[in-house]
Amino acid sequence: MKEVEILIIGGGPAGLSAAAAAAGLGANILLLERDDRLGGQLVKQTHKFFGSKKQYAGERGYQIGDLLIGQCSAQPKVEVWPETTVLGIYEDGVVTAEKDGQHLKIKPQKIIVATGASEKMIAFPNNDLPGIYGAGAVQTLMNVHGIVPGRRVLMVGAGNIGLIVSYQLLQAGVEVAAIIEAAPTIGGYLVHASKIRRAGVPILTSHTIQEAYGQESVEGARICRLDENWQAVAGSEQDLKVDVICLAVGLSPLTELCFQADCAMNYIPELSGHVPLRNDYLETTRAGLYVAGDVSGVEEASSAMVEGRLAGVSAAYSLGYGQDVAPRLQAEALAELSELRSGPAGQKTLQGLKKLMAKGEAVC
């Protein structure tokens, strides 16, 4: 049985930020990551970040990942176990994990869950054909392994991920036949959409995919326009010859461990799914268990990093570390989150958090 002060589950932007912040105050950290490398989604993000200098605006995602990994590596109190999958969080506080074929037990005093999110899929005929990918998988293929997924792509979804991955496909020499979006408006930043349109790629709002077709892999897709009631408009069908269909239709928080740990949970659409109730300092209804990043509600990586820092400081502070500086650091992180969510893009998150707060009051 390994004992540790703070166990962090997930080595993406939230987990790395939490580890650096908590260790910086003096706590001993064990960071578990199921992949063979740290960084989470950052390792495949080649675009530059927005925000402020505090969230590394102007840096590319993989560069920010390297920065965060470097901050953790510089902390002697951070121990990292890569290729380790957490299996459960139990009533007695024991956490079990699998590493190198071994079943391990860990007894932490505090836990920070930073497991991120998974890609959503949508149902349509033949959606199991080879050649249909989630946008994250396409990013991994291209930006991590240097492999293009195909020659001609239909992108489904005009949020930031769909727009950014479409541009990265173009940069890799892949033709993007079109981007379709079921909603009547583009969901991502217009600066990304403008680059796509300047490259000659049509962005078709109020459109959906009806079916994919092909013998052994994708050979094409049929799309159509939607009316104001989200019904297919007769006669609007188009046939696109593509060998890849890329789905960028959102993310779902990876909250299985929170459910298993018996955290109070609620379904909040604005936060992209079931999320745990928590207080301002990200502690859930299970005492000593904190959440940070997309597992607490899907946002940008900038917010995940700040939430990670807040959770790390809060967990360390609860163990008696940083008594003179932790309250100030918590206040600074809360102010940064408020600033990040102050624009139009943050309104959806704020609505979700307001709903979650009301649910929390009902539980109390």
Side-chain angles (χ1 to χ4, degrees):
M1 178 92 67
K2 181 175 179 65
E3 296 188 357
V4 66
E5 289 185 316
I6 301 176
L7 173 67
I8 299 175
I9 305 170
L16 288 169
S17 299
L25 293 179
N28 289 296
I29 311 299
L30 175 60
L31 174 61
L32 308 185
E33 169 54 50
R34 67 180 181 181
D35 290 335
D36 60 354
R37 61 190 295 181
L38 297 173
Q41 300 304 304
L42 293 174
V43 301
K44 57 191 176 188
Q45 294 180 345
T46 58
H47 60 281
K48 291 184 178 180
F49 273 44
F50 295 129
S52 70
K53 199 170 184 180
K54 289 178 286 190
Q55 291 93 43
Y56 311 106
E59 299 288 337
R60 300 187 186 277
Y62 70 89
Q63 295 172 322
I64 298 172
D66 289 343
L67 236 162
L68 297 178
I69 292 168
Q71 290 174 1
C72 283
S73 300
Q75 293 283 356
K77 290 183 174 290
V78 177
E79 182 179 358
V80 178
W81 289 2
E83 297 184 277
T84 304
T85 300
V86 174
L87 304 175
I89 301 172
Y90 297 93
E91 292 179 356
D92 58 1
V94 172
V95 176
T96 60
E98 185 276 328
K99 178 177 173 60
D100 298 329
Q102 293 184 305
H103 184 263
L104 306 173
K105 292 183 178 180
I106 306 159
K107 188 65 182 290
Q109 295 179 41
K110 305 291 177 181
I111 301 170
I112 299 174
V113 177
T115 45
S118 63
E119 293 190 275
K120 292 180 179 177
M121 295 291 116
I122 55 175
F124 54 89
N126 300 318
N127 69 350
D128 57 349
L129 276 173
I132 298 176
Y133 298 86
V138 168
Q139 273 193 313
T140 301
L141 276 174
M142 292 196 304
N143 299 344
V144 177
H145 301 294
I147 300 170
V148 294
R151 298 181 300 277
R152 195 166 194 255
V153 177
L154 168 65
M155 179 66 68
V156 182
N160 279 328
I161 294 175
L163 297 172
I164 288 169
V165 175
S166 293
Y167 191 69
Q168 291 172 353
L169 283 162
L170 293 172
Q171 289 178 307
V174 179
E175 182 183 358
V176 179
I179 301 173
I180 60 172
E181 169 60 56
T185 56
I186 294 169
Y189 295 139
L190 294 182
V191 64
H192 296 315
S194 297
K195 290 195 297 185
I196 294 295
R197 282 179 164 152
R198 285 197 299 270
V201 177
I203 302 176
L204 307 176
T205 56
S206 295
H207 277 72
T208 191
I209 182 169
Q210 290 183 303
E211 66 172 332
Y213 63 86
Q215 292 300 312
E216 296 184 359
S217 62
V218 171
E219 296 174 13
R222 294 186 179 91
I223 65 172
C224 70
R225 187 159 54 86
L226 299 173
D227 63 21
E228 61 274 10
N229 296 314
W230 302 81
Q231 299 301 306
V233 176
S236 68
E237 297 84 0
Q238 296 183 53
D239 189 328
L240 298 178
K241 302 299 182 186
V242 295
D243 60 350
V244 172
I245 297 170
C246 184
L247 304 178
V249 292
L251 302 170
S252 295
L254 279 170
T255 51
E256 291 86 350
L257 287 173
C258 296
F259 273 107
Q260 198 266 337
D262 204 27
C263 299
M265 308 289 292
N266 263 290
Y267 181 76
I268 307 292
E270 293 85 352
L271 299 179
S272 298
H274 283 93
V275 293
L277 300 179
R278 68 273 189 174
N279 62 21
D280 287 345
Y281 304 110
L282 304 178
E283 186 174 17
T284 66
T285 55
R286 173 161 174 159
L289 191 151
Y290 299 77
V291 289
D294 283 350
V295 70
S296 65
V298 174
E299 291 187 80
E300 298 291 328
S302 301
S303 298
M305 288 185 283
V306 181
E307 282 196 342
R309 180 154 34 96
L310 176 59
V313 168
S314 300
Y317 185 40
S318 71
L319 292 173
Y321 293 103
Q323 298 297 301
D324 52 339
V325 296
R328 174 178 58 80
L329 295 174
Q330 288 175 318
E332 289 175 355
L334 288 168
E336 279 185 54
L337 286 171
S338 179
E339 182 182 353
L340 284 169
R341 295 164 177 163
S342 63
Q347 293 309 302
K348 182 179 175 183
T349 297
L350 291 175
Q351 290 170 11
L353 291 172
K354 187 176 180 180
K355 282 186 183 180
L356 190 67
M357 187 179 297
K359 299 278 189 182
E361 289 171 354
V363 169
C364 294

